[in-house]
Amino acid sequence: MNALTRRQLFTGSSMLATGALLAESPPALADETRVVRFADHWKNDLDRVWLGAEFWAGPMQDWRIRAGRLECIRALPGRTVQVLTVQHNGTPGTFSMKVRLGRLDGTALGAGQGSAGFRIGILGTLGDDPALRDYRNNLAFSGGLDAGFTAQGGLFFGDARKADPGKINLSGVQELLLELVSAPGGSPAEATLCLRAMNAVTQQILGETTLTVPQAKLTGNLALAANSGPPLGPGGKPDKTSKLENEPVGPGLGTFWFSDWSIEGSSLTQHDTQTFGPIFFNHYSLSGGILKMTAQMPPLGEKDNQTVSLEVQQDGAWSFPAGAVIHPLARTAAFRIGGWDAGQDHAYRLGYQQKFADGSTRQYYYEGTVRRDPVDREVLSVADISCNIHTAFPNTPYAENVAQLNPDLIAFVGDQFYENTAGFGTVNGPLEVSSLDYLRKWYFHGWTWRSLTKDRPSLCLPDDHDVYQGNIWGEGGAPQGPTQESGGYLMEAEWVNVVHRTQTSHHPDAWDGQPCRQGILNYYGPMTYGRVSFAVLADRQFKSGPQGKVPPTGGRADHVSDAKYNIKSADQPGLELLGEKQLAFLKAWAGDWRGADMKAVISQTIFTGMATTHGQPKGDLRADFDANGWPQAARNAALREIRKAFAFHMAGDQHLPAVVHYGIDSHRDAGVAFAGPAVNVGYPRWWHPTTQVNGRDQRDGLLGDFNDAFGHPLSVLAVRNGATQPRRPTMDFLADKASGFGMVRFNKKHRTITVECWPFGTAFGTAGAAQMATWPVVIQQSGNYARPGAAWLPELIFEAGPLPVVQVVEEASGEVLYTLRAPSKSFKPHTFAAGKHTLRISDPDSGRSQVLSGLEARAGSNGDQIKVTLSAYSG
Ligand SMILES: [Fe+2]
């Protein structure tokens, strides 16, 4: 011991009062007003997996409350329960924690295997930067100092494997009282820790051990810990944690219960608002007068209340109550309310009444605003957010900057998390456990964005990592074949539906109300908001897997490395991208302009194969079948429908922010797409075009006309390659890897689309902040079908009133050439060949129309004019 005797260390602790084995009178702590006190409440909680709003379990599925105690039910290493509301602030002073514990099977603690105790000084990836530290960042990818006992009678600080056995006699001891006390050390910069073990039944002190550490090492979150493993340092890679699974550590592995966890001291900071639950977060959408909202709940118990209420404020009072039953696996409460008054903002609150073991209840509310549909505003802004590996969770500066930019709609376009998000790898079954494992990661998404999603509509499109796959070719919902590349879903259908329920049950109704193969739910369909009509696509769910369907690549079935591989030979008949039904939806959607002036497609990834370099700077690929430039024919069929609506395309996935102009037969004859940047890049990709594959070398510039990996014409309007050697501090690392934020602004008056791309770690949204080089990009709505016109129809002159929708049909083929909302009171439609055409001119919201048949499109110029008078449909 340094400056204090052991007796002094425990003076004032409550263990002294209960044990009374040290005959000293306990003086009061120096400054009672600064002392924080915290105690768990599990004795009065019902049996359930969720431990309460003040706690985060790592991982959630391995902990539960049973009979008023906390239980760690799986004998696996590094299991922790962190408290959210109390942190050690690193200042000199007092600090103590105590807990009772025993084995789940009731046997003596020395009779089995394992270790248990505390973890302190828990800091995450932002721990190096005091300004950015966040109690939530400490919940994953974090290190700390363990202190506890081992089944072999060891008491330890740090690595349990190094504990000397036999330090305490555990024979016959079924309940242990562990107390950890810290006091100032020999110098102001040091603290002395003492860990004491007592037989909780007999009150006999069994032994103790001490350690002097730098005071700063105590800063961070506090936890109970079971089965201490080798500690992970701050910034430690999360995949290392999965390697610890099932790996025996020195003391072995056991299952334990804990109770009476208390924490107190003057070195602590308490924030009662740092809680999570019981209503975790919500997402909503508003389209066509239908509000859909999904509240995300924790895993509750059988005796818990199973319903969530939704109330809306009207004339200062809460009314219009609706109830929704919580889904037993997805833990979602999904509301669907028709006849919604979209003309004004509505304050709402979600309600949940929590029950307690003593029969008491507590009512919780979660409040937000359903914004009015901004139909009259010139610009609709849509955030493009994807690919968040949560390295900098909860990305507070990022989320605050997005709030500054205040998007009208958020499109989360995939990879809302990755398999290693929140640590501990993945669990693939059984279903209840794998569902909890999924929810834990999904909760990180909601926790990051909930202050935004409660007050504006949002969409969530599950991508491959959302369903625990590095890549997915969904094959219409088929189970996975012999390999991932042969296509299909790895996880069982009910689990996939947990993903679809949590992420998409708040979407506007799916176009196809029936599920696809295996009963997997469909979510693709239309949404209209702010007079922009969106097609929400599932571009992974129906895509064919390449393996066995394309000529062998000679290596990994989805990666072509051989420069001589004939990429056209991979365009085999019958291969799907969107699938027949989804393509039919796209076709119907392209012609449906109710309530809309502009159109956009939202999907997971872009419909081209742009990235040339994958994973590492020398990872050049000839082609990647995960990209949606393949299958070529199916991709072209989709783009032909999309361009008929002059629709812009928003996506994510690539971690290579870019704006590209698609080509089908020639450069720029289809739509423009934005592959938004990743929130936190994990796997990097680059654009290093070569003459051999892309038709032009990168030394001639990264922008302009190229060919993509599949031979499609590709025009690059903006792109940002990440660094090949990113700096190491977390925030610099993410910025260097081209993480960022994308926003698309649809100007309905001027019919322009402005694409913004903001670099990670900058104050985007504030005056003077710079976007990534080559952004912003501004395109015209008409640029989304920039194929040059070859002939012209008469100029249409419209009457007063709403601008009508004009559909141009080639009479010889019967083909709809395109449909759009006329941009102004006069409009001269173009065609792609001379000859007879029909114009269907309509105001679909009032049901009036006029059909003009046999109109001659003339090459060169057409000076004719037609005055259009719409009349009611004749039926
Ligand atoms: Fe991704």
Side-chain angles (χ1 to χ4, degrees), residues 386-388 414-415 417-418 463-465 652-655 678 682-683 685:
S386 69
C387 299
N388 191 352
D415 294 346
F417 60 82
Y418 284 74
D463 201 1
D464 40 21
H465 295 282
D653 172 60
Q654 287 291 296
H655 318 170
Y683 187 87
R685 291 186 187 84

Side-chain angles (χ1 to χ4, degrees), residues 129-399:
D129 188 340
L132 289 173
R133 281 178 191 163
D134 186 302
Y135 67 102
R136 293 164 292 182
N137 180 255
N138 303 335
L139 301 178
F141 312 161
S142 53
L145 176 68
D146 284 355
F149 87 101
T150 70
Q152 295 75 28
L155 286 179
F156 67 93
F157 285 102
D159 191 341
R161 294 172 303 178
K162 294 179 182 157
D164 289 335
K167 179 123 178 155
I168 56 175
N169 181 1
L170 288 172
S171 67
V173 178
Q174 289 181 308
E175 290 189 23
L176 207 58
L177 184 62
L178 278 183
E179 183 166 16
L180 177 68
V181 177
S182 151
S187 77
E190 289 181 330
T192 299
L193 298 168
C194 184
L195 176 73
R196 177 180 288 179
M198 178 189 281
N199 184 328
V201 176
T202 66
Q203 307 286 302
Q204 182 193 0
I205 292 175
L206 302 173
E208 59 194 39
T209 187
T210 62
L211 180 73
T212 296
V213 295
Q215 189 68 244
K217 204 170 165 137
L218 304 183
T219 306
N221 283 15
L222 307 165
L224 296 176
N227 301 312
S228 290
L232 295 171
K237 292 286 183 232
D239 53 351
K240 285 183 185 161
T241 58
S242 60
K243 283 184 190 159
L244 293 177
E245 299 284 335
N246 306 312
E247 181 184 302
V249 292
L253 303 166
T255 54
F256 301 94
W257 60 260
F258 299 80
S259 71
D260 302 291
W261 184 21
S262 63
I263 307 168
E264 67 175 66
S266 60
S267 303
L268 304 172
T269 305
Q270 189 161 26
H271 296 283
D272 289 336
T273 55
Q274 291 181 179
T275 57
F276 192 46
I279 301 165
F280 282 160
F281 53 87
N282 69 330
H283 293 88
Y284 79 82
S285 75
L286 179 60
S287 181
I290 299 169
L291 173 75
K292 291 181 76 175
M293 182 181 289
T294 299
Q296 186 62 60
M297 301 297 291
L300 299 161
E302 278 177 21
K303 291 182 179 166
D304 274 311
N305 196 343
Q306 304 297 327
T307 60
V308 177
S309 65
L310 171 61
E311 296 169 75
V312 179
Q313 202 169 53
Q314 282 183 337
D315 304 326
W318 293 105
S319 64
F320 197 53
V325 176
I326 300 166
H327 188 275
L329 274 178
R331 278 78 178 186
T332 47
F335 301 87
R336 184 186 189 282
I337 300 174
W340 186 263
D341 167 20
Q344 55 182 307
D345 290 355
H346 292 283
Y348 70 87
R349 65 181 187 185
L350 293 157
Y352 181 74
Q353 190 183 59
Q354 191 177 339
K355 294 181 180 174
F356 295 91
D358 64 4
S360 62
T361 60
R362 185 171 168 192
Q363 181 70 37
Y364 289 87
Y365 289 109
Y366 190 89
E367 297 187 9
T369 301
V370 176
R371 294 182 179 183
R372 71 185 186 88
D373 189 343
V375 289
D376 53 349
R377 282 228 316 273
E378 197 169 303
V379 176
L380 183 84
S381 56
V382 186
D384 178 309
I385 295 180
S386 69
C387 299
N388 191 352
I389 202 165
H390 294 278
T391 308
F393 175 76
N395 281 290
T396 303
Y398 186 117

